[in-house]
């Protein structure tokens, strides 16, 4: 049997759309609708009549931009943002620096047990953040930490990492320990994609391993460094599980230590879901603005480099 030219079998034209339906439904249910509902809540407010008891004593009214005005003038949210900025200034450079260093070391030909080393560096990323925070919290507590026991036996001072300024280092250590492996894999994959002929030509020209790393490898994996920096900034702005998990272990962590902890406190403790929705929208917009601005700056710099 022959098929008439130009005619497609029945259902071929609609097949791509049928394959897209499950993804579109999941996108609408778990992404678009929650965002739309959060926006709806952020423009409303609960009005209480009298003591707020009985039927009809509470109802929702249109609040306009009042929730956003209150959020932007909230000192706790501002202080939480400043704490996160200080936390990010520690986490992002250290984590990306270690990830780049490990990726460069794994890419050398003289390294032995490359597979085991790669797995050992990546393995902390597979551990859930809550479990990692509990494990490190146990190691931080002076009364139960084996490190503090060894320092005490050696007659050395035992620092309390869960109090005061060292708290930032304690939280940053958890993030660096867990996130370095993922960023290292991204950078290492880019390094392995570089043609070997480039390195051979550099060696014939007399370049050392350090010169190859600084002048060839790092510039060629710059897009991966931009990507990992982008992911790291977003993860820093959304930090929640680590300080929440460590909070029962120290009085230095407040319930509003980070912006997302402030959102959780207002939504589920203070029962002010409308204020929490406005704060969540502001955090999302700030993250989007920072990400878009950084990507635009990185793209413009890349274009200027290509034009030269």
């Amino acid at each position: 049997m022959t098929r008439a030219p130009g005619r497609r079998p029945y259902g071929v034209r609609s097949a791509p759309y049928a394959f897209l339906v499950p993804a579109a439904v999941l996108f609408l249910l778990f992404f678009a609708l929650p965002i739309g509902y959060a926006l709806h809540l952020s423009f409303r407010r609960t009005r209480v009549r009298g003591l707020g008891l009985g039927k009809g004593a509470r109802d929702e009214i249109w609040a306009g931009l009042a929730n956003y005005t209150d959020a932007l003038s909230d000192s706790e949210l501002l202080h939480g943002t400043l704490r996160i900025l200080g936390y990010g200034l520690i986490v992002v450079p250290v984590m990306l620096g270690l990830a780049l260093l490990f990726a460069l070391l794994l890419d050398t030909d003289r390294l032995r047990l490359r597979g085991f080393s790669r797995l050992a560096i990546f393995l902390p990323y597979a551990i859930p953040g809550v479990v990692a925070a509990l494990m490190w919290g146990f190691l931080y507590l002076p009364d139960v930490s084996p490190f503090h026991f060894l320092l005490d036996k050696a007659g050395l001072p035992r620092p309390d990492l869960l109090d005061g300024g060292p708290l930032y280092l304690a939280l940053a250590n958890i993030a660096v320990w867990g996130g370095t492996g993922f960023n290292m894999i991204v950078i290492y994959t880019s390094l392995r994609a570089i043609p070997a002929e480039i390195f051979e030509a550099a060696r014939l020209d007399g370049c050392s391993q350090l010169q190859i790393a600084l002048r060839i490898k790092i510039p060629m994996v710059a897009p991966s460094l931009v990507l990992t920096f982008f992911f790291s900034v977003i993860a820093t702005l959304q930090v929640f599980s680590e300080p929440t998990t460590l909070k029962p272990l120290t009085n230095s962590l407040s319930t509003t230590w980070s912006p997302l902890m402030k959102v959780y406190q207002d939504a589920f403790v203070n029962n002010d879901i409308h204020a929490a929705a406005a704060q969540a929208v502001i955090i999302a917009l700030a993250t989007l603005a920072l990400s878009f601005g950084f990507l635009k700056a990185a793209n413009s710099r890349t274009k200027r480099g290509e034009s030269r």
Side-chain angles (χ1 to χ4, degrees), residues 136-142 145 148 160-162 169-170 173-174 246:
W136 281 104
F138 168 78
L139 296 176
Y140 290 154
L141 285 177
S145 174
H148 283 262
D160 188 1
L161 297 177
L162 295 178
L169 299 178
N173 174 66
I174 300 175
L246 292 180

Side-chain angles (χ1 to χ4, degrees), residues 146-175:
F147 297 119
H148 283 262
F149 175 78
L150 295 176
L151 291 174
D152 185 48
K153 291 296 183 181
L156 299 175
R158 300 186 303 169
D160 188 1
L161 297 177
L162 295 178
D163 187 23
L167 179 63
Y168 285 86
L169 299 178
L171 290 171
N173 174 66
I174 300 175

Side-chain angles (χ1 to χ4, degrees), residues 3-269:
R3 183 180 299 165
R7 296 184 60 185
R8 295 183 179 182
Y10 176 77
V12 170
R13 292 183 177 180
S14 59
Y17 302 100
F19 285 114
L20 290 175
V21 167
V25 171
L26 292 175
F27 176 81
L28 289 175
L29 290 178
F30 298 102
F31 190 80
L33 286 179
I35 291 178
Y37 185 59
L39 287 171
H40 168 74
L41 290 176
S42 66
F43 291 106
R44 301 184 68 83
R45 177 174 291 179
T46 301
R47 181 174 58 184
V48 181
R49 294 187 179 91
L51 298 178
L53 304 176
K55 185 177 181 181
R58 294 175 178 266
D59 59 346
E60 287 189 1
I61 61 173
W62 177 259
L65 298 177
N67 291 325
Y68 291 93
T69 304
D70 295 340
L72 292 175
S73 60
D74 193 335
S75 60
E76 292 184 350
L77 184 63
L78 176 60
H79 292 160
T81 304
L82 294 177
R83 283 190 287 265
I84 285 300
L85 291 177
Y87 167 83
L89 290 176
I90 301 174
V91 171
V92 176
V94 174
M95 182 166 57
L96 295 185
L98 290 176
L100 178 61
L101 176 62
F102 290 148
L104 292 174
L105 291 176
L106 290 174
D107 194 53
T108 57
D109 297 331
R110 299 178 181 179
L111 181 67
R112 298 181 180 179
L113 302 176
R114 180 180 288 106
F116 173 79
S117 301
R118 185 170 62 247
L119 178 62
I121 298 172
F122 178 77
L123 188 60
Y125 178 75
I127 299 176
V130 176
V131 177
L134 287 174
M135 180 189 69
W136 281 104
F138 168 78
L139 296 176
Y140 290 154
L141 285 177
D143 295 334
V144 297
S145 174
F147 297 119
H148 283 262
F149 175 78
L150 295 176
L151 291 174
D152 185 48
K153 291 296 183 181
L156 299 175
R158 300 186 303 169
D160 188 1
L161 297 177
L162 295 178
D163 187 23
L167 179 63
Y168 285 86
L169 299 178
L171 290 171
N173 174 66
I174 300 175
V176 171
W177 180 80
T180 300
F182 172 80
N183 296 313
M184 180 271 297
I185 289 295
V186 175
I187 300 172
Y188 177 73
T189 304
S190 298
L191 286 173
R192 301 302 293 179
I194 300 175
E197 293 80 6
I198 298 178
F199 303 140
E200 293 177 0
R203 295 189 188 96
L204 291 176
D205 290 338
C207 293
S208 63
Q209 290 292 335
L210 181 60
Q211 291 174 329
I212 292 175
L214 295 178
R215 299 182 179 181
I216 298 178
K217 291 184 177 182
I218 294 179
M220 295 193 73
V221 298
S224 296
L225 293 175
V226 172
L227 181 65
T228 53
F229 181 85
F230 176 73
F231 288 154
S232 300
V233 169
I234 294 178
T236 300
L237 294 174
Q238 296 178 350
V239 64
F240 175 79
S241 60
E242 291 84 356
T244 303
T245 305
L246 292 180
K247 184 185 175 302
L249 304 180
T250 175
N251 294 325
S252 298
L253 280 169
S254 63
T255 56
T256 58
W257 191 84
S258 70
L260 286 188
M261 292 176 68
K262 177 67 167 60
V263 173
Y264 179 88
Q265 182 75 12
D266 287 343
F268 300 106
V269 179

Side-chain angles (χ1 to χ4, degrees), residues 299-308:
N299 290 333
S300 62
R301 183 175 180 180
T302 302
K303 291 179 180 179
R304 287 198 302 268
E306 293 176 352
S307 62
R308 293 176 183 175

